[in-house]
PDB file of all heavy atoms in Angstrom:
ATOM      1  N   CYS B  76     -42.898 -22.695  15.226  1.00 98.00           N
ATOM      2  CA  CYS B  76     -42.442 -22.890  13.836  1.00 98.00           C
ATOM      3  C   CYS B  76     -42.633 -24.325  13.446  1.00 98.00           C
ATOM      4  O   CYS B  76     -42.507 -25.255  14.267  1.00 98.00           O
ATOM      5  CB  CYS B  76     -40.955 -22.566  13.712  1.00 98.00           C
ATOM      6  SG  CYS B  76     -40.538 -20.800  13.881  1.00 98.00           S
ATOM      7  N   ASP B  92     -22.695 -18.060  13.228  1.00 97.00           N
ATOM      8  CA  ASP B  92     -21.703 -18.460  14.247  1.00 97.00           C
ATOM      9  C   ASP B  92     -20.511 -19.154  13.604  1.00 97.00           C
ATOM     10  O   ASP B  92     -19.381 -18.885  13.963  1.00 97.00           O
ATOM     11  CB  ASP B  92     -22.379 -19.392  15.280  1.00 97.00           C
ATOM     12  CG  ASP B  92     -23.264 -18.604  16.236  1.00 97.00           C
ATOM     13  OD1 ASP B  92     -22.781 -17.617  16.801  1.00 97.00           O
ATOM     14  OD2 ASP B  92     -24.421 -18.999  16.416  1.00 97.00           O
ATOM     15  N   GLY B 100     -25.489 -14.628  15.262  1.00 95.00           N
ATOM     16  CA  GLY B 100     -25.749 -16.044  15.416  1.00 95.00           C
ATOM     17  C   GLY B 100     -26.751 -16.341  16.505  1.00 95.00           C
ATOM     18  O   GLY B 100     -27.683 -15.576  16.746  1.00 95.00           O
ATOM     19  N   HIS B 126     -46.969  -8.826  -5.955  1.00 98.00           N
ATOM     20  CA  HIS B 126     -46.816  -7.969  -7.155  1.00 98.00           C
ATOM     21  C   HIS B 126     -45.622  -8.562  -7.927  1.00 98.00           C
ATOM     22  O   HIS B 126     -44.640  -8.911  -7.348  1.00 98.00           O
ATOM     23  CB  HIS B 126     -46.506  -6.556  -6.687  1.00 98.00           C
ATOM     24  CG  HIS B 126     -46.576  -5.517  -7.782  1.00 98.00           C
ATOM     25  ND1 HIS B 126     -47.583  -4.568  -7.830  1.00 98.00           N
ATOM     26  CD2 HIS B 126     -45.783  -5.234  -8.808  1.00 98.00           C
ATOM     27  CE1 HIS B 126     -47.406  -3.766  -8.866  1.00 98.00           C
ATOM     28  NE2 HIS B 126     -46.309  -4.151  -9.467  1.00 98.00           N
ATOM     29  N   ASP B 135     -44.684 -10.307   0.528  1.00 98.00           N
ATOM     30  CA  ASP B 135     -45.159  -9.933   1.856  1.00 98.00           C
ATOM     31  C   ASP B 135     -44.793 -11.088   2.814  1.00 98.00           C
ATOM     32  O   ASP B 135     -45.246 -12.232   2.597  1.00 98.00           O
ATOM     33  CB  ASP B 135     -46.688  -9.725   1.849  1.00 98.00           C
ATOM     34  CG  ASP B 135     -47.210  -9.187   3.185  1.00 98.00           C
ATOM     35  OD1 ASP B 135     -46.797  -9.710   4.228  1.00 98.00           O
ATOM     36  OD2 ASP B 135     -48.024  -8.252   3.173  1.00 98.00           O
ATOM     37  N   LEU B 140     -40.454 -14.648  10.639  1.00 98.00           N
ATOM     38  CA  LEU B 140     -39.001 -14.510  10.878  1.00 98.00           C
ATOM     39  C   LEU B 140     -38.307 -14.136   9.571  1.00 98.00           C
ATOM     40  O   LEU B 140     -38.504 -14.825   8.568  1.00 98.00           O
ATOM     41  CB  LEU B 140     -38.434 -15.820  11.366  1.00 98.00           C
ATOM     42  CG  LEU B 140     -38.726 -16.274  12.814  1.00 98.00           C
ATOM     43  CD1 LEU B 140     -38.462 -17.769  12.955  1.00 98.00           C
ATOM     44  CD2 LEU B 140     -37.851 -15.486  13.777  1.00 98.00           C
ATOM     45  N   TRP B 163     -35.249  -9.987  -9.018  1.00 99.00           N
ATOM     46  CA  TRP B 163     -35.087  -8.948  -7.974  1.00 99.00           C
ATOM     47  C   TRP B 163     -36.347  -8.901  -7.163  1.00 99.00           C
ATOM     48  O   TRP B 163     -37.439  -8.710  -7.667  1.00 99.00           O
ATOM     49  CB  TRP B 163     -34.823  -7.600  -8.670  1.00 99.00           C
ATOM     50  CG  TRP B 163     -33.646  -7.661  -9.536  1.00 99.00           C
ATOM     51  CD1 TRP B 163     -33.629  -8.052 -10.866  1.00 99.00           C
ATOM     52  CD2 TRP B 163     -32.270  -7.522  -9.162  1.00 99.00           C
ATOM     53  NE1 TRP B 163     -32.333  -8.110 -11.326  1.00 99.00           N
ATOM     54  CE2 TRP B 163     -31.466  -7.791 -10.298  1.00 99.00           C
ATOM     55  CE3 TRP B 163     -31.636  -7.182  -7.966  1.00 99.00           C
ATOM     56  CZ2 TRP B 163     -30.082  -7.696 -10.291  1.00 99.00           C
ATOM     57  CZ3 TRP B 163     -30.232  -7.081  -7.945  1.00 99.00           C
ATOM     58  CH2 TRP B 163     -29.482  -7.357  -9.104  1.00 99.00           C
ATOM     59  N   ARG B 167     -41.420  -6.903   2.174  1.00 98.00           N
ATOM     60  CA  ARG B 167     -41.958  -6.084   3.275  1.00 98.00           C
ATOM     61  C   ARG B 167     -42.524  -6.986   4.350  1.00 98.00           C
ATOM     62  O   ARG B 167     -42.657  -8.215   4.154  1.00 98.00           O
ATOM     63  CB  ARG B 167     -43.049  -5.152   2.753  1.00 98.00           C
ATOM     64  CG  ARG B 167     -44.337  -5.845   2.361  1.00 98.00           C
ATOM     65  CD  ARG B 167     -45.374  -4.812   1.912  1.00 98.00           C
ATOM     66  NE  ARG B 167     -46.635  -5.443   1.551  1.00 98.00           N
ATOM     67  CZ  ARG B 167     -47.315  -5.161   0.455  1.00 98.00           C
ATOM     68  NH1 ARG B 167     -46.859  -4.267  -0.416  1.00 98.00           N
ATOM     69  NH2 ARG B 167     -48.474  -5.724   0.226  1.00 98.00           N
ATOM     70  N   ILE B 174     -27.561 -13.122   8.763  1.00 97.00           N
ATOM     71  CA  ILE B 174     -26.471 -12.596   7.937  1.00 97.00           C
ATOM     72  C   ILE B 174     -26.885 -12.586   6.461  1.00 97.00           C
ATOM     73  O   ILE B 174     -27.459 -13.553   5.950  1.00 97.00           O
ATOM     74  CB  ILE B 174     -25.130 -13.377   8.070  1.00 97.00           C
ATOM     75  CG1 ILE B 174     -25.331 -14.903   7.912  1.00 97.00           C
ATOM     76  CG2 ILE B 174     -24.428 -13.060   9.359  1.00 97.00           C
ATOM     77  CD1 ILE B 174     -24.026 -15.662   7.695  1.00 97.00           C
ATOM     78  N   ALA B 191     -27.951  -8.915  -1.590  1.00 99.00           N
ATOM     79  CA  ALA B 191     -28.918  -8.841  -0.467  1.00 99.00           C
ATOM     80  C   ALA B 191     -28.624  -7.612   0.360  1.00 99.00           C
ATOM     81  O   ALA B 191     -27.466  -7.322   0.738  1.00 99.00           O
ATOM     82  CB  ALA B 191     -28.868 -10.085   0.410  1.00 99.00           C
ATOM     83  N   ILE B 214     -24.912  -4.257   3.096  1.00 98.00           N
ATOM     84  CA  ILE B 214     -24.880  -4.566   1.674  1.00 98.00           C
ATOM     85  C   ILE B 214     -24.088  -5.842   1.457  1.00 98.00           C
ATOM     86  O   ILE B 214     -22.991  -5.951   1.993  1.00 98.00           O
ATOM     87  CB  ILE B 214     -24.203  -3.426   0.863  1.00 98.00           C
ATOM     88  CG1 ILE B 214     -25.026  -2.142   0.974  1.00 98.00           C
ATOM     89  CG2 ILE B 214     -23.983  -3.829  -0.602  1.00 98.00           C
ATOM     90  CD1 ILE B 214     -24.372  -0.962   0.241  1.00 98.00           C
ATOM     91  N   ALA B 235     -18.548   1.167  12.052  1.00 93.00           N
ATOM     92  CA  ALA B 235     -18.402  -0.019  12.860  1.00 93.00           C
ATOM     93  C   ALA B 235     -19.737  -0.751  12.930  1.00 93.00           C
ATOM     94  O   ALA B 235     -20.799  -0.102  13.038  1.00 93.00           O
ATOM     95  CB  ALA B 235     -17.948   0.356  14.273  1.00 93.00           C
ATOM     96  N   ARG B 245     -19.022  -4.533  26.565  1.00 82.00           N
ATOM     97  CA  ARG B 245     -18.832  -5.603  27.568  1.00 82.00           C
ATOM     98  C   ARG B 245     -17.469  -5.515  28.229  1.00 82.00           C
ATOM     99  O   ARG B 245     -17.337  -5.732  29.409  1.00 82.00           O
ATOM    100  CB  ARG B 245     -18.967  -6.977  26.885  1.00 82.00           C
ATOM    101  CG  ARG B 245     -20.401  -7.494  26.861  1.00 82.00           C
ATOM    102  CD  ARG B 245     -20.449  -8.909  26.356  1.00 82.00           C
ATOM    103  NE  ARG B 245     -21.426  -9.037  25.288  1.00 82.00           N
ATOM    104  CZ  ARG B 245     -21.151  -9.303  24.029  1.00 82.00           C
ATOM    105  NH1 ARG B 245     -19.915  -9.483  23.641  1.00 82.00           N
ATOM    106  NH2 ARG B 245     -22.111  -9.378  23.143  1.00 82.00           N
ATOM    107  N   LYS B 246     -16.455  -5.194  27.431  1.00 86.00           N
ATOM    108  CA  LYS B 246     -15.088  -5.123  27.977  1.00 86.00           C
ATOM    109  C   LYS B 246     -14.822  -3.770  28.615  1.00 86.00           C
ATOM    110  O   LYS B 246     -13.792  -3.594  29.259  1.00 86.00           O
ATOM    111  CB  LYS B 246     -14.051  -5.299  26.840  1.00 86.00           C
ATOM    112  CG  LYS B 246     -14.045  -6.724  26.227  1.00 86.00           C
ATOM    113  CD  LYS B 246     -12.865  -6.817  25.240  1.00 86.00           C
ATOM    114  CE  LYS B 246     -12.824  -8.187  24.587  1.00 86.00           C
ATOM    115  NZ  LYS B 246     -11.901  -8.194  23.435  1.00 86.00           N
ATOM    116  N   ASN B 261     -20.911  15.139  18.937  1.00 96.00           N
ATOM    117  CA  ASN B 261     -19.451  15.126  19.042  1.00 96.00           C
ATOM    118  C   ASN B 261     -18.955  13.675  19.028  1.00 96.00           C
ATOM    119  O   ASN B 261     -19.540  12.831  19.682  1.00 96.00           O
ATOM    120  CB  ASN B 261     -18.979  15.762  20.346  1.00 96.00           C
ATOM    121  CG  ASN B 261     -19.544  17.175  20.484  1.00 96.00           C
ATOM    122  OD1 ASN B 261     -19.334  18.001  19.598  1.00 96.00           O
ATOM    123  ND2 ASN B 261     -20.230  17.429  21.571  1.00 96.00           N
ATOM    124  N   ARG B 343     -21.867 -13.780 -19.806  1.00 98.00           N
ATOM    125  CA  ARG B 343     -20.786 -14.447 -20.551  1.00 98.00           C
ATOM    126  C   ARG B 343     -20.781 -15.900 -20.106  1.00 98.00           C
ATOM    127  O   ARG B 343     -21.331 -16.259 -19.084  1.00 98.00           O
ATOM    128  CB  ARG B 343     -19.429 -13.752 -20.342  1.00 98.00           C
ATOM    129  CG  ARG B 343     -18.842 -13.948 -18.949  1.00 98.00           C
ATOM    130  CD  ARG B 343     -17.575 -13.093 -18.705  1.00 98.00           C
ATOM    131  NE  ARG B 343     -16.510 -13.393 -19.664  1.00 98.00           N
ATOM    132  CZ  ARG B 343     -15.256 -12.909 -19.539  1.00 98.00           C
ATOM    133  NH1 ARG B 343     -14.980 -12.099 -18.506  1.00 98.00           N
ATOM    134  NH2 ARG B 343     -14.329 -13.192 -20.391  1.00 98.00           N
ATOM    135  N   PRO B 344     -20.123 -16.772 -20.871  1.00 98.00           N
ATOM    136  CA  PRO B 344     -20.115 -18.177 -20.495  1.00 98.00           C
ATOM    137  C   PRO B 344     -19.555 -18.325 -19.052  1.00 98.00           C
ATOM    138  O   PRO B 344     -18.579 -17.682 -18.673  1.00 98.00           O
ATOM    139  CB  PRO B 344     -19.190 -18.823 -21.553  1.00 98.00           C
ATOM    140  CG  PRO B 344     -19.301 -17.931 -22.719  1.00 98.00           C
ATOM    141  CD  PRO B 344     -19.453 -16.548 -22.171  1.00 98.00           C
ATOM    142  N   PHE B 348     -16.275 -16.541 -16.912  1.00 98.00           N
ATOM    143  CA  PHE B 348     -16.428 -15.703 -15.732  1.00 98.00           C
ATOM    144  C   PHE B 348     -15.649 -16.278 -14.553  1.00 98.00           C
ATOM    145  O   PHE B 348     -14.891 -15.543 -13.899  1.00 98.00           O
ATOM    146  CB  PHE B 348     -17.886 -15.557 -15.328  1.00 98.00           C
ATOM    147  CG  PHE B 348     -18.115 -14.746 -14.091  1.00 98.00           C
ATOM    148  CD1 PHE B 348     -18.080 -13.358 -14.128  1.00 98.00           C
ATOM    149  CD2 PHE B 348     -18.278 -15.358 -12.850  1.00 98.00           C
ATOM    150  CE1 PHE B 348     -18.229 -12.590 -12.972  1.00 98.00           C
ATOM    151  CE2 PHE B 348     -18.448 -14.602 -11.679  1.00 98.00           C
ATOM    152  CZ  PHE B 348     -18.407 -13.220 -11.759  1.00 98.00           C
ATOM    153  N   ALA B 362      -1.040  -8.771  -4.395  1.00 98.00           N
ATOM    154  CA  ALA B 362      -0.743  -7.329  -4.357  1.00 98.00           C
ATOM    155  C   ALA B 362       0.306  -7.059  -3.310  1.00 98.00           C
ATOM    156  O   ALA B 362       0.314  -7.683  -2.249  1.00 98.00           O
ATOM    157  CB  ALA B 362      -2.017  -6.547  -4.046  1.00 98.00           C
ATOM    158  N   GLN B 369       1.151  -9.362   6.578  1.00 97.00           N
ATOM    159  CA  GLN B 369      -0.281  -9.140   6.411  1.00 97.00           C
ATOM    160  C   GLN B 369      -0.582  -8.900   4.946  1.00 97.00           C
ATOM    161  O   GLN B 369      -0.491  -7.764   4.448  1.00 97.00           O
ATOM    162  CB  GLN B 369      -0.740  -7.972   7.270  1.00 97.00           C
ATOM    163  CG  GLN B 369      -2.212  -7.625   7.111  1.00 97.00           C
ATOM    164  CD  GLN B 369      -3.141  -8.778   7.473  1.00 97.00           C
ATOM    165  OE1 GLN B 369      -3.245  -9.146   8.662  1.00 97.00           O
ATOM    166  NE2 GLN B 369      -3.801  -9.402   6.491  1.00 97.00           N
ATOM    167  N   GLY B 375     -14.502 -12.049   2.361  1.00 97.00           N
ATOM    168  CA  GLY B 375     -15.069 -13.366   2.636  1.00 97.00           C
ATOM    169  C   GLY B 375     -14.048 -14.386   3.150  1.00 97.00           C
ATOM    170  O   GLY B 375     -14.429 -15.402   3.700  1.00 97.00           O
ATOM    171  N   ARG B 385     -14.383 -23.639  12.973  1.00 98.00           N
ATOM    172  CA  ARG B 385     -15.460 -23.906  13.919  1.00 98.00           C
ATOM    173  C   ARG B 385     -16.234 -25.168  13.616  1.00 98.00           C
ATOM    174  O   ARG B 385     -16.821 -25.759  14.515  1.00 98.00           O
ATOM    175  CB  ARG B 385     -16.365 -22.663  13.994  1.00 98.00           C
ATOM    176  CG  ARG B 385     -15.661 -21.476  14.645  1.00 98.00           C
ATOM    177  CD  ARG B 385     -16.539 -20.257  14.809  1.00 98.00           C
ATOM    178  NE  ARG B 385     -15.877 -19.234  15.624  1.00 98.00           N
ATOM    179  CZ  ARG B 385     -16.477 -18.136  16.065  1.00 98.00           C
ATOM    180  NH1 ARG B 385     -17.754 -17.949  15.787  1.00 98.00           N
ATOM    181  NH2 ARG B 385     -15.819 -17.268  16.790  1.00 98.00           N
ATOM    182  N   ILE B 393     -20.042 -16.629  24.644  1.00 92.00           N
ATOM    183  CA  ILE B 393     -19.648 -16.057  25.946  1.00 92.00           C
ATOM    184  C   ILE B 393     -20.701 -16.442  27.000  1.00 92.00           C
ATOM    185  O   ILE B 393     -21.864 -16.701  26.680  1.00 92.00           O
ATOM    186  CB  ILE B 393     -19.471 -14.501  25.883  1.00 92.00           C
ATOM    187  CG1 ILE B 393     -20.755 -13.816  25.474  1.00 92.00           C
ATOM    188  CG2 ILE B 393     -18.304 -14.126  24.979  1.00 92.00           C
ATOM    189  CD1 ILE B 393     -20.714 -12.310  25.690  1.00 92.00           C
ATOM    190  N   ALA B 404     -34.628 -21.536  27.345  1.00 98.00           N
ATOM    191  CA  ALA B 404     -34.916 -22.991  27.227  1.00 98.00           C
ATOM    192  C   ALA B 404     -35.685 -23.475  28.448  1.00 98.00           C
ATOM    193  O   ALA B 404     -36.649 -24.227  28.313  1.00 98.00           O
ATOM    194  CB  ALA B 404     -33.579 -23.738  27.113  1.00 98.00           C
ATOM    195  N   LYS B 406     -37.632 -21.801  30.353  1.00 96.00           N
ATOM    196  CA  LYS B 406     -38.992 -21.270  30.272  1.00 96.00           C
ATOM    197  C   LYS B 406     -39.867 -22.171  29.383  1.00 96.00           C
ATOM    198  O   LYS B 406     -41.060 -22.360  29.653  1.00 96.00           O
ATOM    199  CB  LYS B 406     -38.977 -19.848  29.737  1.00 96.00           C
ATOM    200  CG  LYS B 406     -40.227 -19.067  29.904  1.00 96.00           C
ATOM    201  CD  LYS B 406     -40.024 -17.556  29.850  1.00 96.00           C
ATOM    202  CE  LYS B 406     -39.424 -17.110  28.538  1.00 96.00           C
ATOM    203  NZ  LYS B 406     -39.313 -15.626  28.460  1.00 96.00           N
ATOM    204  N   LEU B 409     -37.362 -26.879  27.966  1.00 97.00           N
ATOM    205  CA  LEU B 409     -36.441 -27.619  27.094  1.00 97.00           C
ATOM    206  C   LEU B 409     -35.106 -27.837  27.801  1.00 97.00           C
ATOM    207  O   LEU B 409     -34.778 -27.080  28.720  1.00 97.00           O
ATOM    208  CB  LEU B 409     -36.181 -26.811  25.817  1.00 97.00           C
ATOM    209  CG  LEU B 409     -37.365 -26.652  24.854  1.00 97.00           C
ATOM    210  CD1 LEU B 409     -37.081 -25.635  23.796  1.00 97.00           C
ATOM    211  CD2 LEU B 409     -37.691 -28.020  24.200  1.00 97.00           C
ATOM    212  N   PRO B 410     -34.351 -28.880  27.397  1.00 95.00           N
ATOM    213  CA  PRO B 410     -33.036 -29.095  28.019  1.00 95.00           C
ATOM    214  C   PRO B 410     -32.105 -27.907  27.795  1.00 95.00           C
ATOM    215  O   PRO B 410     -32.145 -27.286  26.710  1.00 95.00           O
ATOM    216  CB  PRO B 410     -32.497 -30.333  27.306  1.00 95.00           C
ATOM    217  CG  PRO B 410     -33.405 -30.632  26.173  1.00 95.00           C
ATOM    218  CD  PRO B 410     -34.669 -29.896  26.369  1.00 95.00           C
ATOM    219  N   LEU B 412     -28.250 -25.952  27.627  1.00 93.00           N
ATOM    220  CA  LEU B 412     -26.950 -26.233  26.997  1.00 93.00           C
ATOM    221  C   LEU B 412     -25.991 -26.800  28.023  1.00 93.00           C
ATOM    222  O   LEU B 412     -25.941 -26.311  29.148  1.00 93.00           O
ATOM    223  CB  LEU B 412     -26.371 -24.958  26.403  1.00 93.00           C
ATOM    224  CG  LEU B 412     -26.958 -24.493  25.071  1.00 93.00           C
ATOM    225  CD1 LEU B 412     -26.404 -23.113  24.708  1.00 93.00           C
ATOM    226  CD2 LEU B 412     -26.644 -25.483  23.929  1.00 93.00           C
TER     227      LEU B 412
END
Side-chain angles (χ1 to χ4, degrees):
Chain B
C76 290
D92 284 309
H126 190 109
D135 186 316
L140 285 162
W163 303 89
R167 70 178 182 226
I174 50 167
I214 295 178
R245 271 188 231 113
K246 293 187 181 168
N261 305 306
R343 71 187 300 190
F348 177 80
Q369 178 60 70
R385 292 182 171 189
I393 61 168
K406 194 158 59 176
L409 292 168
L412 283 172

